Amino acid sequence: MINHARSRNTTAVLDEGAGPPSRSRLSDADLSAMLLIRHFEKSLLKLFEQGFLHGTTHTCLGQEYVPVALTPLLRDDDHIFSNHRGHGHYLARYADPEGLLAELLGRAGAVCGGVGGSQHLLRERFLSTGVQGQSLPVATGVALHLKRSTPGALACVYTGDGTWGEGVVYEALNIAARWELPLLVVTENNGIAQSTPTAQQMAGDIGGRAAAFGIAYERFTDTDVNRLRAALRPLVEQVRHASRPFVVEFVTHRLGPHSKGDDSRSPAELRAVRAADWAAGYAAGHPEQFDRIDAEQSRRVERIVAEVLARPLTAWSPR
Amino acid sequence: MTAPRVAGDLNTALHRLFAEDERAMLLGEDVCDPYGGAFKVTRGLSTRYPHRVRNTPISEGALVGVASGLALAGDTAIAEIMFADFVTLAFDQLVNFASKSTAMYGRRLPLRLVVRCPTGGNRGYGPTHSQTPQKHLVGVPGLALYEVSPLHDNHTLLTRMLDDGVPAVLFEGKVLYGERMFTGGMVDDLFGYELTDGVARIRLHDPVPPDCVLITSGALVHRAVEALRELLLHDEIVAELLVVSRLYPVDRAPLLSLTGPARRVAVIEESTAGGTWGAEVAAALHPSLWGTLAAPIRLIHSLDSIIPAAAHLERQVLVQSGTIRHAVKELVNG
């Protein structure tokens, strides 16, 4: 039997207890992945300031640990649906910062020829789209396909808290629950939808909404990748083997602006967000490892930026 | 042998498609047996293929999205929207996902996806169940629009739509479902038809150069043929009728070769006025025909109005054979 959705007052085991939990030591690989994403995102904001990047981009600063914790639990034959804030999802799945940066800069070697840009990526079974909620039913369709063709594989779809304002999300959840499809819905609840605080735009909560469909649900406030991964492992396996949808909510923090320079939060709010940053906490607990890998990834991204900027522009024909 | 009715021909086409393609899936509201779809087009399919045909909740946005997901994963996906009016609920999935996916990732991504839409009025269903919404989807890159006609074989049509790998919407005139398919090149005692590059040409059994060439799609065929008869028998006007199967992109080349040196051309559709498919066809043909036309291409469509429910009021708004006859007389006689 699967778990039923938890009531709103119940939180996951991980965030119970007094005070912030201590941070376990991460593998160099996990910490490298998180700091690669961080420096990648920071470099984008710099590239905007310098006039090399155009249009829009949504950085996932502060949320890097979510895809890093989850991705190793996903298999090659799983499908991943990412969203507008998807660079971390891509970089956790593929060690390909060069291809992603080339995509954003429209340079040779781009994942999608520079056509899709930040929000529209396709590589093997990884796909992102830029319209909120749009990929929920698409992922549901893929899950239906997988249930028939590849039992045990799943479709994982990333959403934000703001995504839950879209009606098609509920149409898809209803179908996924009724048809018993292997759909893993990951919500990165960073407390703010563009500039609107979640509390102002969401009645009730995500757990209650999952419960309305009889969909199992878990909520995590922890940011420790080791503990998160251990807790996620049985949930992901449950989606595979019970062939049922599952909603996982990560309470997280968006350190950066929604897109470029559009952060309207007060200094006090920003201080609180920075205080919750996993990186600050981790650096305090494991300074030697953090400083070493932080410097490595910073230099790596710097090199990649210089190398990709020197590449020729992509070519593409509309027909 | 009596020709099948259009709904039956579509049903046979779907059965054949499912027999030939084991990855074919069909989704829609109330499509399973014993109901078999609001217009019975999917009858028998769920009994024969219980795992490949699914009733969905009333969720047009999601059911088109789910079908897109199936197509993305390599299946052949057919979605039914019970009334074409409700395709508006799937607008995002069609316009921002399925169609764009074929190109926005920098390389061609074929999707075998057809969204079927029972379309049109003259059935008394009122303002939200009678529309011809093709015009709202004209001009979307990566989205093809087709219409069922009594002159085009539906299995050939569905196979073409799917094999193109371009997401497609198939409009099915509801007034056609109960009509018989035309076969053997015969329309009636006066008119016959032939197919050229997907365009059906209806003209006199003993053709003479026409005074006017009319272009239309499936749902209008019977009304247009009735107008052709009246024009010939009472007004001494000879008109030919071209019936296209693909609405968009416009098949310019066959239309140009079939309109030939005609001096008068009209496009007929049931859509209400404004931003119409006919305007798109006229814009595609005008540059080539401008030198030979005696008058601009005439657009014949329904009024700029909602579609009333009561039969006598509905008839006032929607294109009828009399509307066509009147417009062609005006065009030819000036």
Side-chain angles (χ1 to χ4, degrees):
Chain A
M1 265 312 273
I2 56 164
N3 296 333
H4 281 288
R6 309 172 69 92
S7 74
R8 57 175 303 177
N9 296 323
T10 318
T11 48
V13 170
L14 300 175
D15 46 357
E16 280 172 0
S22 65
R23 289 175 188 282
S24 63
R25 185 179 175 88
L26 304 180
S27 71
D28 278 8
D30 282 340
L31 187 57
S32 296
M34 290 155 77
L35 288 169
L36 167 67
I37 297 169
R38 173 143 312 190
H39 286 290
F40 186 92
E41 298 289 56
K42 281 176 151 179
S43 77
L44 297 185
L45 295 175
K46 206 181 299 171
L47 285 165
F48 260 109
E49 281 169 18
Q50 295 166 344
F52 289 111
L53 259 183
H54 305 281
T56 190
T57 196
H58 308 102
T59 62
C60 64
L61 293 165
Q63 306 177 193
E64 300 91 340
Y65 64 91
V66 174
V68 171
L70 179 65
T71 304
L73 304 175
L74 300 178
R75 309 189 323 208
D76 287 347
D77 58 359
D78 292 335
H79 284 251
I80 300 177
F81 290 85
S82 176
N83 58 4
H84 65 296
R85 204 175 297 287
H87 302 160
H89 308 153
Y90 179 84
L91 293 173
R93 180 70 159 179
Y94 299 107
D96 179 32
E98 296 86 356
L100 180 57
L101 187 61
E103 181 62 32
L104 302 177
L105 291 167
R107 307 286 168 150
V111 187
C112 296
V115 180
S118 171
Q119 308 184 70
H120 315 97
L121 301 172
L122 174 65
R123 177 166 171 180
E124 296 167 338
R125 295 183 169 202
F126 181 101
L127 181 145
S128 66
T129 62
V131 178
Q132 290 299 312
Q134 184 182 62
S135 59
L136 261 290
V138 179
T140 301
V142 166
L144 173 61
H145 169 86
L146 292 173
K147 185 177 182 176
R148 284 183 70 217
S149 70
T150 322
L154 59 80
C156 167
V157 55
Y158 285 97
T159 65
D161 45 291
T163 315
W164 291 77
E166 297 287 357
V168 79
V169 169
Y170 304 93
E171 295 186 10
L173 289 178
N174 182 47
I175 289 174
R178 187 63 196 78
W179 294 358
E180 300 178 350
L181 301 179
L183 179 72
L184 176 64
V185 179
V186 177
T187 295
E188 295 169 295
N189 181 353
N190 60 21
I192 186 163
Q194 191 141 345
S195 74
T196 305
T198 304
Q200 277 181 31
Q201 57 94 2
M202 183 181 286
D205 55 29
I206 292 166
R209 294 174 187 210
F213 296 98
I215 294 177
Y217 163 82
E218 199 72 65
R219 176 175 180 266
F220 297 110
T221 56
D222 198 0
T223 61
D224 184 293
V225 165
N226 290 332
R227 289 194 298 258
L228 282 173
R229 195 177 290 151
L232 286 166
R233 192 181 305 277
L235 310 186
V236 172
E237 288 309 302
Q238 183 176 314
V239 174
R240 296 188 193 290
H241 300 303
S243 186
R244 295 281 206 290
F246 206 114
V247 173
V248 182
E249 177 183 0
F250 293 91
V251 176
T252 186
H253 300 279
R254 192 191 82 199
L255 292 181
H258 164 69
S259 113
K260 293 164 287 179
D262 59 351
D263 208 327
S264 52
R265 289 175 288 188
S266 70
E269 285 173 297
L270 288 173
R271 270 196 304 278
V273 164
R274 284 192 203 106
D277 179 17
W278 66 266
Y282 193 83
H286 307 274
E288 177 282 322
Q289 186 199 22
F290 185 90
D291 291 346
R292 171 170 52 86
I293 293 177
D294 188 55
E296 270 171 28
Q297 293 304 322
S298 170
R299 283 195 301 273
R300 179 184 177 196
V301 169
E302 221 170 284
R303 275 197 310 275
I304 291 168
V305 168
E307 191 267 309
V308 173
L309 273 176
R311 294 182 188 181
L313 295 173
T314 56
W316 180 73
S317 158
R319 280 280 157 196
Chain B
M1 199 179 92
T2 318
R5 298 191 194 278
V6 172
D9 191 66
L10 262 168
N11 179 259
T12 305
L14 289 170
H15 275 274
R16 266 184 75 185
L17 193 81
F18 267 64
E20 293 160 356
D21 180 358
E22 62 180 28
R23 300 190 75 166
M25 302 275 289
L26 186 140
L27 310 166
E29 294 157 15
D30 307 291
V31 293
C32 290
D33 293 332
Y35 197 68
F39 299 97
K40 312 305 167 197
V41 171
T42 55
R43 187 177 270 163
L45 216 54
S46 68
T47 302
R48 194 169 298 174
Y49 306 100
H51 301 296
R52 290 160 57 190
V53 181
R54 280 186 180 259
N55 275 345
T56 69
I58 301 176
S59 305
E60 286 79 7
L63 79 89
V64 172
V66 168
S68 299
L70 290 171
L72 185 70
D75 288 335
T76 294
I78 299 175
E80 176 175 311
I81 290 187
M82 190 183 286
F83 284 82
D85 311 66
F86 314 155
V87 77
T88 52
L89 293 158
F91 201 68
D92 177 61
Q93 290 296 333
L94 285 170
V95 174
N96 283 327
F97 183 70
S99 60
K100 285 189 175 56
S101 292
T102 62
M104 76 172 167
Y105 298 111
R107 55 197 179 275
R108 195 175 126 70
L109 177 69
L111 292 179
R112 292 172 61 82
L113 171 66
V114 168
V115 178
R116 298 182 34 245
C117 296
T119 305
N122 272 347
R123 302 266 307 228
Y125 290 142
T128 63
H129 289 60
S130 305
Q131 296 170 87
T132 296
Q134 284 87 326
K135 66 180 180 184
H136 300 303
L137 293 167
V138 166
V140 177
L143 187 66
L145 309 180
Y146 291 81
E147 191 166 319
V148 162
S149 103
L151 302 142
H152 295 83
D153 173 69
N154 285 300
H155 179 261
T156 309
L157 174 63
L158 281 169
T159 305
R160 173 191 173 186
M161 293 170 76
L162 292 166
D163 288 352
D164 273 357
V166 176
V169 183
L170 178 60
F171 296 95
E172 305 172 2
K174 297 196 287 281
V175 290
L176 284 183
Y177 285 138
E179 300 287 348
R180 302 231 174 248
M181 296 292 291
F182 294 114
T183 54
M186 178 67 87
V187 172
D188 60 17
D189 55 326
L190 293 174
F191 297 95
Y193 74 93
E194 65 220 53
L195 286 162
T196 311
D197 293 334
V199 178
R201 180 188 207 179
I202 295 179
R203 54 180 176 165
L204 288 168
H205 290 301
D206 296 314
V208 294
D211 301 302
C212 182
V213 173
L214 311 178
I215 300 170
T216 194
S217 57
L220 266 295
V221 166
H222 293 88
R223 277 167 274 176
V225 167
E226 194 185 328
L228 251 52
R229 292 181 67 91
E230 299 284 311
L231 286 162
L232 181 75
L233 299 176
H234 302 293
D235 306 315
E236 295 181 352
I237 291 173
V238 176
E240 280 187 18
L241 181 66
L242 304 181
V243 183
V244 304
S245 172
R246 188 171 73 175
L247 305 174
Y248 190 85
V250 174
D251 283 316
R252 204 168 158 272
L255 286 178
L256 281 176
S257 80
L258 291 169
T259 45
R263 301 189 67 234
R264 291 178 176 83
V265 175
V267 189
I268 315 165
E269 67 195 300
E270 194 177 292
S271 162
T272 56
T276 58
W277 167 71
E280 183 67 24
V281 174
L285 301 184
H286 263 143
S288 300
L289 298 182
W290 196 249
T292 49
L293 287 174
I297 294 173
R298 172 83 178 227
L299 305 183
I300 303 174
H301 45 65
S302 301
L303 301 183
D304 178 11
S305 166
I306 54 100
I307 302 166
H312 67 290
L313 302 178
E314 185 182 34
R315 273 199 304 273
Q316 287 174 18
V317 167
L318 297 181
V319 166
Q320 308 298 342
S321 65
T323 327
I324 300 168
R325 179 183 169 193
H326 179 75
V328 171
K329 273 169 69 179
E330 255 186 19
L331 176 64
V332 172
N333 297 330

